Amino acid sequence: MYNLYKLVLLIAVIIQSPDFSHAECNRQQTSFGMVCKCTANSCDYLTEPPVKGAKSWIAISSSKNGLRFSETAGTFGSTDLITIEDYHEPRTNNAANSKNFIADAIMVDNKRSLGYFFGLEQGSVFNIPQQQSDSSASITVDRSVTYQKIIGFGGALTGSVSYLLNKLDPKLQDHLYKSYFHNDGIGYNILRTSIGGCDFDLEPWAYNEMPQNDVQLSNFTKLDNRDLLKIEQIRKIKSVGALEDLKIMAAAWSPPPWMKSNNDWTGYSHLRTEYYHTWAEYHMKYLQLMHNENITIWAISTGNEPLNGVIGWFFVRFMSLGWTPASQAIYLNDHLGPLLKQSQFKNVLIFGNDDQRYSYPEWYQKMNATKPDVLKYLDGFAVHWYWDEMFGPELIDQAMRSFPNKLLLNTESCVGDKPWETHGPELGSWERAEQYIRAYLQDLQHNFNGWIDWNLMLNEQGGPNYVNNNVDAPIVVNTANYSEFYKQPMFYGIGHFSKFIRPDSKRIKVSVNSLQNTVDAVGFLRPDDTIALIILNSAPIPQDITINDSVRGSCTVNVPSRSIHTMLYK
């Protein structure tokens, strides 16, 4: 029966999938850098190149200057220096002057970063002379030492994303789905969505807003049209992306206001204790209604960013629900946990916290002190990245040592949220891509099992949403015509991980010796016995990097300045 299902899915994909063009990146210059333009008729993809021999390797490269998934081949054991050539803009290229591409309309403002205020370009503050001579580094790969296994990578289908998708030509929609979820795209296999509304919706909303004080949730009997639209889009993601197993994670931002202490969508709040069980039942109703539409939810969380309603209320203006570790322990232990695990949805995973690094490990320690067995209901820990530059990964390490055998996911990330940053896209910014790359490297080096980014796509201003909470996204749509979207450097930076580190890959030991830490790397052994080694050169000069593998020997590669590379070999 399972094989029959796979055959039917394959036929459906062949029939429904459009005839995609495997064009190269259509480069467009912007005030901040360069993007790749996609239209209904053309979008760039990469079928993973095969590794042709035991000593052979393939490097896929992207750079600040404009490489986008370019390919270079070499062999271990060779004494020759292999140079990965950087991209150089042809003199005849006038993409920036195209009448259909108005970069100034997409540049939100001139406030770029804290570094900008000090006259520094973010991400390039090194005491290395700006010269053409090369530096050198070495990377040692020991595949005999293994660490965590990867679940996957993904992004969020928010109300804002769903709204924008619905305005695109179906062929252009399919290009976005394929760009993210197909193996020829960047191979996402996880999708996060909200139960009710979130901050990236056109208005705050929840199920069963009326009647108030309705513990039976008598009006929560069918899915909202906004969720029905998302379901149509999820089905297209699965068909265009040729995905048999799309892992969907759902999280609630806020219940209807009548369940809350402040009777409002936002602000300082907590769940009224008489509605603890009602709120748990609310989640069960959502799971059931999605199941009725043949949409399987893989995981839920205990609620998005619980500290927004406790300490973040004075600057957070969007939907939230405040929890303390003690109150959430009672809710999870006495209501949500047993209700879910004793239901037909007992295999749905529960992730805890869904908030920032700075709450680790204390959040779980206090939960455990309140209800000593409560963490048995948590299958994993969910972390958001927003203050990672100020709070180190050691906090996560402490939590994992105290409470081992939990999955660990980053479940939300975007840039442009800080007061000192552009609140919206910096279209074409390599600096923002490098923020992502550094964060992915660090989290993976600290035993994360995967990463879920925030909005799959936003408009030129970084919205729309009901509180003008504008941020950046890996793909930005041109709403002047809705006929094209732009893949940012962030998209390719993420793709160097998500495309090549396949589910069930195991991290292997990688050691880096680098001048002033300008080279960083992480490596994985994939289920097909291919090594995927991701290397970042953040220096403003090219570098010779010697890779020493415990099985294949060594090779030396010259990589361009400000570049990322995924090296594949057996």
Side-chain angles (χ1 to χ4, degrees):
M1 187 68 181
Y2 177 68
N3 289 332
L4 177 60
Y5 167 77
K6 290 203 295 185
L7 178 61
V8 171
L9 178 64
L10 178 61
I11 293 171
V13 169
I14 293 171
I15 292 173
Q16 295 179 26
S17 295
D19 182 17
F20 290 107
S21 169
H22 283 247
E24 294 294 317
C25 165
N26 181 355
R27 292 174 174 84
Q28 305 282 292
Q29 297 299 317
T30 74
S31 300
F32 290 108
M34 190 212 79
V35 295
C36 298
K37 182 175 79 172
C38 291
T39 66
N41 298 319
S42 179
C43 200
D44 58 299
Y45 300 103
L46 173 68
T47 300
E48 183 179 305
V51 178
K52 295 182 177 179
K55 290 279 188 177
S56 300
W57 54 260
I58 296 284
I60 296 91
S61 304
S62 301
S63 71
K64 180 177 181 178
N65 282 346
L67 292 181
R68 295 296 181 265
F69 286 172
S70 70
E71 301 174 39
T72 305
T75 57
F76 282 96
S78 172
T79 58
D80 295 333
L81 173 67
I82 301 296
T83 298
I84 296 175
E85 298 292 342
D86 207 350
Y87 178 79
H88 300 285
E89 185 70 26
R91 291 182 180 274
T92 57
N93 188 299
N94 62 351
N97 298 320
S98 168
K99 293 181 180 179
N100 294 321
F101 184 78
I102 306 173
D104 289 343
I106 297 170
M107 194 175 87
V108 178
D109 58 48
N110 293 321
K111 297 178 296 181
R112 298 184 63 178
S113 68
L114 187 62
Y116 181 84
F117 294 136
F118 292 96
L120 300 171
E121 185 177 22
Q122 182 182 357
S124 62
V125 189
F126 302 109
N127 296 319
I128 299 177
Q130 296 284 342
Q131 57 187 8
Q132 296 303 312
S133 60
D134 298 338
S135 179
S136 61
S138 64
I139 298 172
T140 301
V141 179
D142 184 353
R143 60 177 78 187
S144 68
V145 181
T146 61
Y147 303 96
Q148 82 275 19
K149 187 180 288 187
I150 293 298
I151 293 172
F153 300 87
L157 179 60
T158 62
S160 301
V161 172
S162 180
Y163 167 82
L164 291 171
L165 277 170
N166 199 43
K167 287 183 169 292
L168 301 183
D169 178 275
K171 289 184 179 179
L172 189 57
Q173 288 183 39
D174 287 348
H175 276 305
L176 186 133
Y177 298 143
K178 184 175 183 183
S179 292
Y180 272 121
F181 293 94
H182 196 277
N183 284 340
D184 288 349
I186 60 172
Y188 275 8
N189 69 320
I190 307 178
L191 189 70
R192 186 174 183 238
T193 193
S194 59
I195 303 175
C198 68
D199 48 318
F200 272 82
D201 265 286
L202 302 189
E203 62 180 351
W205 69 278
Y207 284 100
N208 216 109
E209 293 179 33
M210 298 294 292
Q212 295 188 21
N213 308 319
D214 178 16
V215 295
Q216 301 302 319
L217 300 173
S218 60
N219 199 27
F220 196 170
T221 58
K222 62 181 181 180
L223 290 171
D224 186 89
N225 287 336
R226 286 163 284 200
D227 275 341
L228 292 175
L229 177 59
K230 286 183 182 179
I231 286 171
E232 291 179 19
Q233 293 162 343
I234 288 169
R235 288 172 178 154
K236 285 293 289 183
I237 286 172
K238 294 176 74 172
S239 63
V240 173
L243 277 171
E244 293 181 26
D245 182 21
L246 176 64
K247 298 184 185 302
I248 301 174
M249 172 179 271
W253 267 241
S254 172
W258 55 263
M259 288 191 197
K260 299 168 64 176
S261 59
N262 65 347
N263 197 34
D264 201 352
W265 291 115
T266 190
Y268 182 81
S269 69
H270 62 262
L271 189 68
R272 292 167 60 180
T273 55
E274 63 264 35
Y275 295 128
Y276 273 29
H277 200 75
T278 305
W279 186 226
E281 289 282 5
Y282 182 101
H283 286 73
M284 300 302 297
K285 282 181 174 285
Y286 176 81
L287 294 176
Q288 182 64 61
L289 290 172
M290 293 295 279
H291 175 76
N292 293 348
E293 295 290 336
N294 294 315
I295 300 296
T296 299
I297 301 299
W298 168 68
I300 61 173
S301 84
T302 48
N304 181 75
E305 296 182 341
L307 289 174
N308 281 350
V310 179
I311 62 173
W313 59 270
F314 57 91
F315 61 87
V316 170
R317 295 292 177 262
F318 52 80
M319 298 171 64
S320 63
L321 174 64
W323 290 103
T324 64
S327 62
Q328 195 168 83
I330 295 168
Y331 165 69
L332 178 61
N333 188 80
D334 298 349
H335 301 280
L336 180 64
L339 188 63
L340 180 67
K341 297 307 179 183
Q342 294 170 17
S343 75
Q344 70 181 97
F345 303 111
K346 61 185 179 182
N347 293 325
V348 174
L349 305 183
I350 303 177
F351 281 77
N353 190 259
D354 221 357
D355 212 330
Q356 318 302 328
R357 243 188 215 175
Y358 54 68
S359 60
Y360 283 65
E362 187 176 5
W363 187 271
Y364 299 107
Q365 293 168 345
K366 289 186 174 180
M367 285 185 72
N368 202 49
T370 303
K371 291 282 185 176
D373 291 329
V374 66
L375 296 188
K376 71 182 180 184
Y377 289 113
L378 290 183
D379 300 283
F381 298 160
V383 191
H384 293 191
W385 89 323
Y386 294 107
W387 298 98
D388 284 8
E389 292 177 349
M390 297 183 181
F391 297 89
E394 297 79 16
L395 296 172
I396 304 298
D397 296 341
Q398 291 172 28
M400 297 305 288
R401 283 194 297 268
S402 298
F403 309 105
N405 304 316
K406 303 292 186 186
L407 297 173
L408 183 60
L409 289 180
N410 189 308
T411 51
E412 190 178 311
S413 57
C414 66
V415 66
D417 61 297
K418 305 295 189 302
W420 55 84
E421 296 174 335
T422 297
H423 291 172
E426 289 186 351
L427 202 69
S429 168
W430 181 261
E431 288 69 35
R432 287 188 163 183
E434 203 166 280
Q435 281 184 259
Y436 266 81
I437 294 164
R438 288 179 178 278
Y440 272 64
L441 284 166
Q442 185 182 83
D443 275 5
L444 292 171
Q445 290 163 352
H446 287 266
N447 297 305
F448 277 70
N449 302 102
W451 186 298
I452 309 173
D453 192 37
W454 194 210
N455 297 281
L456 293 172
M457 171 180 66
L458 291 173
N459 65 19
E460 305 95 326
Q461 288 73 43
N465 65 67
Y466 58 90
V467 286
N468 295 318
N469 180 32
N470 295 343
V471 295
D472 215 332
I475 289 180
V476 172
V477 64
N478 185 344
T479 59
N481 52 33
Y482 285 103
S483 65
E484 57 194 41
F485 63 72
Y486 312 114
K487 295 180 180 179
Q488 298 223 64
M490 285 186 288
F491 175 88
Y492 298 92
I494 293 169
H496 274 275
F497 300 89
S498 62
K499 181 177 178 67
F500 302 105
I501 306 173
R502 295 178 180 172
D504 295 325
S505 296
K506 290 183 179 179
R507 183 166 68 91
I508 53 180
K509 184 177 181 180
V510 172
S511 305
V512 179
N513 183 10
S514 163
L515 174 66
Q516 296 197 17
N517 299 317
T518 55
V519 171
D520 201 359
V522 69
F524 289 84
L525 175 62
R526 304 193 322 191
D528 64 356
D529 292 325
T530 298
I531 300 294
L533 179 65
I534 297 91
I535 304 168
L536 170 67
N537 175 24
S538 57
I541 57 173
Q543 299 207 57
D544 292 346
I545 301 176
T546 299
I547 295 100
N548 301 291
D549 182 82
S550 57
V551 174
R552 296 302 173 207
S554 65
C555 64
T556 302
V557 184
N558 179 270
V559 302
S561 64
R562 307 296 293 278
S563 61
I564 181 172
H565 313 268
T566 301
M567 180 178 285
L568 303 174
Y569 61 92
K570 295 293 186 179

